[in-house]
């Protein structure tokens, strides 16, 4: 009798069990009973680890059949996006209301990767270079965590604690992300070793809150976790003429320098720390100019 073969991506990986819950409640029960089981959503990060044999989990917890994770909805003045909603759907279905996140989603891998990859996966992986994370930090996004013990919500900035480390408890799953709707112009920009399908060397997300006359900026891939640059935010709020004045290059460049000062980049195979710091400064200066000019076009129309 012919023996059933493993899926190609798991061949030789040492995976012993493949668990497929049909509901979020069942997924939480399995997670509590078998915390060693690694959650599998889109699999765009995990399959790389399996195929390179850098990870050999005892079990995979496949969340593909959990319908609750594949839905999004309005949530007050923002959106609640299920952890299993792929980047393509974010772009197509709610992109206009979340411009920085949408811009980041467009830079994720290829079309095939965007069809599979999810924000929940970005958060679960906790990579400092996760494209979706700087926009979430810059806009005040929150992550909803669930377990058999209940649910809790923490800010994305607090959730990411270091390179691929998070506040996720062994029995918890990422259920959703809560993202405020844009309160003004937003931008996301990143630098990589090529123009497409690349891991970020440095990334910056900038968001204006016009009603509160506030600026928020976050960087990625230039420190152990995505983080805000609060000194740069305070400088921008004080330096900008909120009645629609022109932004000068000295303001934009100082803003970029302050964001770069907040970074703690490293040297690795993709770039030097010095290059990353310079890239962050340039991206931040440009993103502030872009968002401010967009704001001015609205106020001066």
């Amino acid at each position: 009798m012919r023996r059933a073969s493993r899926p190609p991506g798991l061949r030789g990986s040492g995976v012993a069990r493949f668990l497929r819950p049909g509901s979020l409640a069942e997924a939480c029960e399995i997670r509590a009973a078998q915390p060693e089981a690694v959650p599998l959503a889109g699999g765009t990060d995990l399959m790389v680890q399996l195929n390179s044999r850098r990870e050999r989990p005892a079990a995979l917890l496949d969340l593909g059949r959990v319908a609750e994770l594949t839905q999004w909805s309005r949530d007050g003045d923002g959106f609640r996006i299920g952890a299993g909603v792929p980047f393509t759907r974010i772009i197509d279905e709610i992109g206009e209301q979340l411009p920085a996140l949408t811009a980041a989603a467009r830079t994720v891998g290829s079309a095939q990767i965007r069809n599979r990859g999810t924000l929940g996966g970005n958060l679960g992986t906790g990579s400092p270079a996760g494209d979706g994370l700087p926009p979430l930090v810059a806009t005040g996004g929150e992550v909803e965590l669930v377990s058999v013990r209940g649910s809790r919500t923490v800010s994305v900035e607090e959730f990411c604690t270091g390179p691929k480390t998070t506040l996720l408890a062994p029995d918890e799953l990422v259920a959703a992300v809560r993202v405020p709707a844009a309160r003004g112009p937003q931008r996301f920009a990143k630098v990589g070793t090529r123009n497409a399908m690349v891991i970020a060397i440095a990334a910056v997300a900038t968001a204006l809150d016009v009603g509160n006359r506030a600026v928020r900026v976050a960087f990625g891939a230039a420190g152990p976790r995505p983080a805000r640059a609060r000194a740069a935010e305070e400088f921008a709020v004080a330096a900008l003429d909120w009645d629609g004045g022109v932004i000068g290059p000295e303001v934009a460049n100082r803003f970029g320098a302050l964001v770069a000062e907040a970074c703690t980049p490293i040297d690795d195979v993709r770039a030097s720390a010095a290059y990353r710091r310079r890239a962050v400064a340039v991206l931040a200066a440009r993103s502030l100019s872009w968002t401010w000019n967009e704001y001015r076009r609205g106020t001066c129309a």
Side-chain angles (χ1 to χ4, degrees):
M1 182 170 62
R2 185 177 180 181
R3 185 175 61 184
S5 62
R6 291 181 177 181
L10 302 182
R11 192 167 293 129
S13 66
V15 172
R17 299 187 306 282
F18 194 73
L19 311 170
R20 303 195 74 180
S23 69
L24 186 56
E26 184 183 356
C28 289
E29 291 173 359
I30 294 174
R31 181 71 164 158
Q34 303 184 57
E36 75 282 1
V38 176
L40 170 65
T44 57
D45 286 329
L46 180 59
M47 294 308 297
V48 173
Q49 301 298 317
L50 292 176
N51 287 331
S52 63
R53 301 195 180 190
R54 282 178 284 185
E55 283 199 27
R56 299 174 68 88
L60 291 179
L61 177 58
D62 178 22
L63 303 174
R65 292 183 177 179
V66 180
E68 298 100 313
L69 302 180
T70 64
Q71 302 166 6
W72 65 265
S73 60
R74 289 294 310 214
D75 180 45
D77 64 346
F79 296 87
R80 181 185 182 276
I81 305 173
V85 176
F87 288 109
T88 296
R89 287 185 56 201
I90 293 174
I91 295 167
D92 293 343
E93 298 173 19
I94 49 179
E96 292 184 2
Q97 290 89 353
L98 306 171
L101 182 58
T102 299
R106 292 184 189 280
T107 73
V108 173
S110 62
Q112 294 90 337
I113 295 296
R114 292 190 292 274
N115 286 341
R116 293 285 303 175
T118 65
L119 270 183
N122 260 194
L123 286 160
T125 299
S127 169
D131 290 323
L133 302 185
L136 293 178
V137 173
T139 58
E142 297 178 325
V143 55
E144 181 183 315
L145 309 174
V146 295
S147 69
V148 293
R149 296 177 287 111
S151 65
R152 62 181 177 128
T153 301
V154 297
S155 72
V156 173
E157 185 175 17
E158 293 174 339
F159 177 74
C160 299
T161 58
K164 297 190 176 182
T165 61
T166 69
L167 291 179
L168 193 68
D171 66 338
E172 286 182 317
L173 294 168
V174 176
V177 183
R178 298 180 184 274
V179 192
R183 301 186 181 108
Q186 300 178 354
R187 286 290 183 132
F188 170 83
K190 79 176 186 181
V191 170
T193 54
R194 57 187 182 186
N195 289 331
M197 294 191 293
V198 66
I199 299 173
I201 289 173
V204 171
T206 303
L208 301 187
D209 183 341
V210 173
N212 293 313
R213 296 195 168 188
V215 178
R216 289 175 63 115
V217 60
F219 57 85
R225 62 189 182 94
R228 288 169 61 188
R230 286 173 169 78
E233 295 173 351
E234 294 170 2
F235 166 78
V237 169
L240 295 172
D241 177 3
W242 289 89
D243 292 324
V246 176
I247 185 173
E250 67 283 353
V251 172
N253 291 337
R254 180 57 181 159
F255 177 79
L258 288 170
V259 178
E261 287 178 12
C263 298
T264 54
I266 61 171
D267 298 319
D268 65 12
V269 295
R270 293 197 300 277
S272 67
Y275 181 84
R276 280 191 163 92
R277 197 179 299 276
R278 176 59 180 161
V280 165
V282 171
L283 292 176
R286 289 178 179 176
S287 66
L288 182 64
S289 295
W290 292 332
T291 53
W292 187 254
N293 289 335
E294 185 178 344
Y295 167 66
R296 285 190 68 249
R297 285 195 296 271
T299 59
C300 299

